[in-house]
Amino acid sequence: MERNPLRRQLQIMRKSLFDQGYLDEQFVQLEELQDDSNPNFVEEVVTLYYRDSARLILNIEQALERKPYNFHKLDAYMHQFKGSSSSIGAKKVKAESTLFREYCKSGNGEGCMRCFQQLKKEYATLRKKLEAYFQVARQAGPMETACRPK
Amino acid sequence: MEAAAAAVLPSGSSQELHVLAVDDSYVDRKVIEKLLKISSCKVTAVESGARALQFLGLDGEKGSLGFDGLKVNLIMTDYSMPGMTGYELLKKIKRSSAFREIPVVIMSSENILTRIDSCLEEGAEEFLVKPVKLSDVRRLMKDCVLRGETEGNAGRRFDKRKFEDDNHNHTPSLSSSSSSTPSPPSSPSTTAPFEGDVATSELVSSSPPYSSKRAKLHGHD
């Protein structure tokens, strides 16, 4: 356990993100790539993810406004979105993406719509949690990724 | 541990491996770039097959060394990309006399056996399931690039499939590749990496991630 209160807080936040299923092993992979030469690498990647995926979210939203649904297109967008989400370890978001694609494959428009609403919620929740996490991380200064969530 | 790529090269050359990474996802490009840099590689990351061909000079514009004259030692490409897929890029590279010897690794989030088989048939070195991990890249550095730079394509491809199934460790094939090394002038120094390979074989014998992905595949029927 960290002695420094900020680092302890960070550790607790981090553990919670994993325990509650928001993040998976891939996030840890990103942390392993962070070093002194690039101490904010994880935050940079996550920021990039949110910036880049906003475009995809918008595309999907617009596609869901056009009936009949073009499931092929929806699936293609979601494939890309899922890929990026997977790359940052966004576990719940990725799960919703997978479900969405299932609905696309079975041509279930209702399912797609419902699932997308849930996905956006998870996406927004994760963003808030990660923003809070990185804010504390910046205050706490460089920290070794101590306990892995096993 | 981090100097994996530099360590396995013959000490006569002080060059880092130059990897051309191709992926339409901005996030994935950033991650693969970092994975490779941490493994002591030079990286050129491009967003499409077309750009990759342009960089290599296969679009007919430049000479075969790319813009800044850096030889490409390895190409890592995403499979699903708009326009030209990674598979199409692979084919173009393997059909070019200038570049067919460059090992090409395909990355894909989808674990589809027929897809994997067609890529390997077309001459891909490896098929990595995304998201790519540091351990995948490290294994590539030792496994794919060293053998890719020293052996012919066909023989190596069959050896690879065989030893994946047998789940053997990599040291024997590394030994054989060093003895058949034609180009590096400093052949005695190629024994140097093997001293460091005690660590390699330890790495390999403790459940290689690729084999487990392959196993997952087979169970996917």
Side-chain angles (χ1 to χ4, degrees):
Chain A
M1 247 302 155
E2 279 285 348
R3 288 180 170 280
N4 177 309
L6 268 179
R7 289 185 185 184
R8 193 156 62 237
Q9 185 189 358
L10 194 64
Q11 223 169 38
I12 290 167
M13 287 171 90
R14 187 180 173 279
K15 187 171 189 301
S16 158
L17 284 166
F18 283 100
D19 289 348
Q20 291 178 22
Y22 286 103
L23 296 175
D24 65 30
E25 173 66 28
Q26 189 56 22
F27 190 83
V28 180
Q29 285 286 314
L30 294 184
E31 289 176 318
E32 285 179 358
L33 298 178
Q34 192 157 280
D35 56 22
D36 294 335
S37 68
N38 211 169
N40 300 310
F41 178 70
V42 185
E43 186 178 358
E44 284 167 21
V45 177
V46 172
T47 304
L48 183 60
Y49 164 74
Y50 274 100
R51 211 179 295 156
D52 198 50
S53 57
R55 174 187 48 95
L56 285 166
I57 295 276
L58 188 61
N59 288 341
I60 295 169
E61 218 139 43
Q62 288 172 345
L64 286 171
E65 279 161 19
R66 283 182 221 112
K67 300 233 172 85
Y69 290 153
N70 182 339
F71 289 110
H72 179 77
K73 202 178 218 176
L74 284 168
D75 186 60
Y77 285 139
M78 191 51 78
H79 170 74
Q80 282 187 58
F81 179 81
K82 182 184 167 183
S84 302
S85 306
S86 169
S87 294
I88 68 155
K91 194 174 183 181
K92 290 193 188 202
V93 174
K94 181 181 172 182
E96 293 297 330
S97 309
T98 301
L99 190 56
F100 186 94
R101 294 192 72 198
E102 300 289 307
Y103 285 129
C104 285
K105 286 183 180 90
S106 56
N108 185 339
E110 267 290 306
C112 283
M113 190 46 109
R114 269 186 289 114
C115 180
F116 188 59
Q117 301 313 314
Q118 185 59 27
L119 183 148
K120 282 192 288 183
K121 281 206 190 97
E122 295 294 349
Y123 178 74
T125 301
L126 178 65
R127 176 194 234 140
K128 283 204 196 76
K129 286 184 180 285
L130 286 175
E131 271 169 1
Y133 175 75
F134 290 126
Q135 195 166 48
V136 176
R138 267 181 267 121
Q139 287 166 20
M143 166 181 137
E144 293 142 43
T145 337
C147 43
R148 303 216 351 176
K150 285 289 184 224
Chain B
M1 207 163 47
E2 286 178 12
V8 295
L9 281 179
S11 63
S13 80
S14 55
Q15 281 177 338
E16 293 171 309
L17 290 169
H18 179 204
V19 183
L20 177 62
V22 191
D23 200 317
D24 61 314
S25 158
Y26 202 174
V27 171
D28 288 355
R29 279 203 304 282
K30 188 168 171 90
V31 174
I32 198 77
E33 194 168 31
K34 188 70 177 168
L35 280 170
L36 289 166
K37 281 188 173 150
I38 267 203
S39 308
S40 304
C41 296
K42 280 201 180 64
V43 191
T44 300
V46 298
E47 68 203 1
S48 68
R51 279 258 178 272
L53 292 177
Q54 207 172 36
F55 182 80
L56 291 169
L58 270 177
D59 64 342
E61 294 292 312
K62 302 247 182 241
S64 63
L65 288 179
F67 295 154
D68 53 356
L70 276 179
K71 182 175 186 282
V72 171
N73 304 112
L74 170 66
I75 297 168
M76 294 181 73
T77 178
D78 188 28
Y79 184 93
S80 318
M81 296 187 290
M84 192 188 305
T85 65
Y87 178 69
E88 286 159 357
L89 176 62
L90 166 69
K91 283 199 287 191
K92 284 192 158 65
I93 290 165
K94 291 301 169 186
R95 280 158 205 198
S96 103
S97 47
F99 298 108
R100 70 163 73 99
E101 292 305 308
I102 303 179
V104 180
V105 170
I106 308 283
M107 305 176 283
S108 175
S109 54
E110 286 166 318
N111 213 359
I112 301 169
L113 195 54
T114 50
R115 176 181 290 190
I116 295 171
D117 281 345
S118 15
C119 289
L120 293 176
E121 288 299 313
E122 279 298 328
E125 270 312 295
E126 288 234 17
F127 187 100
L128 295 177
V129 178
K130 279 176 145 186
V132 176
K133 297 173 166 23
L134 193 52
S135 53
D136 293 325
V137 173
R138 283 183 181 147
R139 195 173 39 78
L140 268 186
M141 292 300 110
K142 294 178 168 71
D143 198 37
C144 165
V145 179
L146 183 62
R147 285 156 70 230
E149 291 291 272
T150 57
E151 292 180 45
N153 255 345
R156 183 185 52 223
R157 199 185 324 136
F158 287 118
D159 286 345
K160 168 168 282 310
R161 311 269 326 246
K162 179 181 187 296
F163 87 41
E164 273 161 15
D165 297 332
D166 296 346
N167 214 1
H168 286 152
N169 79 36
H170 301 201
T171 319
S173 46
L174 281 174
S175 308
S176 64
S177 72
S178 83
S179 57
S180 62
T181 298
S183 38
S186 46
S187 32
S189 70
T190 57
T191 61
F194 301 135
E195 282 147 17
D197 268 356
V198 172
T200 312
S201 48
E202 279 168 24
L203 244 182
V204 171
S205 55
S206 57
S207 63
Y210 182 57
S211 301
S212 67
K213 280 171 182 161
R214 193 75 184 165
K216 183 168 46 147
L217 263 191
H218 288 305
H220 215 84
D221 311 331

